[in-house]
Amino acid sequence: MGRTLTAIVALAVFASAGLAQAAEVAPADVRFEDMAVTASLTGVPGNPEEGAKTLANRGLGNCLACHVVTALASEQFHGDVAPSLDGVADRWSEAELRAIVVDAKQVFSDETMMPGFYSLNVGIDVRKDLVGKTILTAQQVEDVVAYLATLKE
């Protein structure tokens, strides 16, 4: 009886993990409507704490290279090339923030310096080992959006 219950629980966990993965939207399938991406890329809520780590990580989001985030003042080298992210949740909806992080060129213009973090439309001369890859995973985008949604005045 105990082994059967363990097997059922393990199967349920495995199946639910598969469902979460199956819900992930591929970069080419992300739908922009009115400068917003309303649907989650993963079907899993973002984790704001992980989003803050991704945003500050120079090997991932590297958002601080261009943006100031007062809540992350302990991190070094905030840039001033782009607008401050303080109060960004008051200026943009969660769906708009998701669109900006996924591919800012779809929201602003092709001229923006902000990269598309979940886009394969990255221009020419991409390093060979990065061709066909996004900067962030779908869940990392959801995490960053969840963190940005906490940045209110």
Side-chain angles (χ1 to χ4, degrees):
M1 176 81 170
R3 287 184 183 173
T4 303
L5 182 57
T6 301
I8 291 171
V9 169
L11 184 58
V13 168
F14 179 73
S16 66
L19 287 175
Q21 272 189 328
E24 187 171 297
V25 177
D29 295 333
V30 175
R31 297 290 163 235
F32 290 80
E33 297 175 23
D34 297 322
M35 298 189 323
V37 174
T38 56
S40 167
L41 303 178
T42 63
V44 176
N47 178 326
E49 293 82 20
E50 289 301 313
K53 291 177 191 173
T54 298
L55 185 141
N57 185 309
R58 300 218 180 322
L60 292 174
N62 198 22
C63 303
L64 297 179
C66 296
H67 298 277
V68 170
V69 181
T70 302
L72 298 176
S74 63
E75 297 289 333
Q76 295 182 339
F77 309 119
H78 292 235
D80 61 3
V81 177
S84 169
L85 294 180
D86 295 345
V88 72
D90 294 324
R91 297 188 298 272
W92 302 93
S93 70
E94 188 173 311
E96 292 167 329
L97 290 170
R98 183 179 295 109
I100 292 167
V101 175
V102 167
D103 189 356
K105 289 171 180 32
Q106 296 283 333
V107 176
F108 302 124
S109 80
D110 286 338
E111 303 294 317
T112 186
M113 291 175 36
M114 185 169 168
F117 289 95
Y118 194 67
S119 173
L120 298 177
N121 185 19
V122 294
I124 59 172
D125 297 326
V126 176
R127 256 182 28 206
K128 286 183 175 46
D129 63 322
L130 299 177
V131 171
K133 296 180 183 176
T134 59
I135 297 171
L136 298 179
T137 67
Q139 189 58 51
Q140 288 169 327
V141 169
E142 293 302 323
D143 294 344
V144 168
V145 170
Y147 176 68
L148 292 172
T150 70
L151 299 179
K152 297 184 178 198
E153 295 289 338

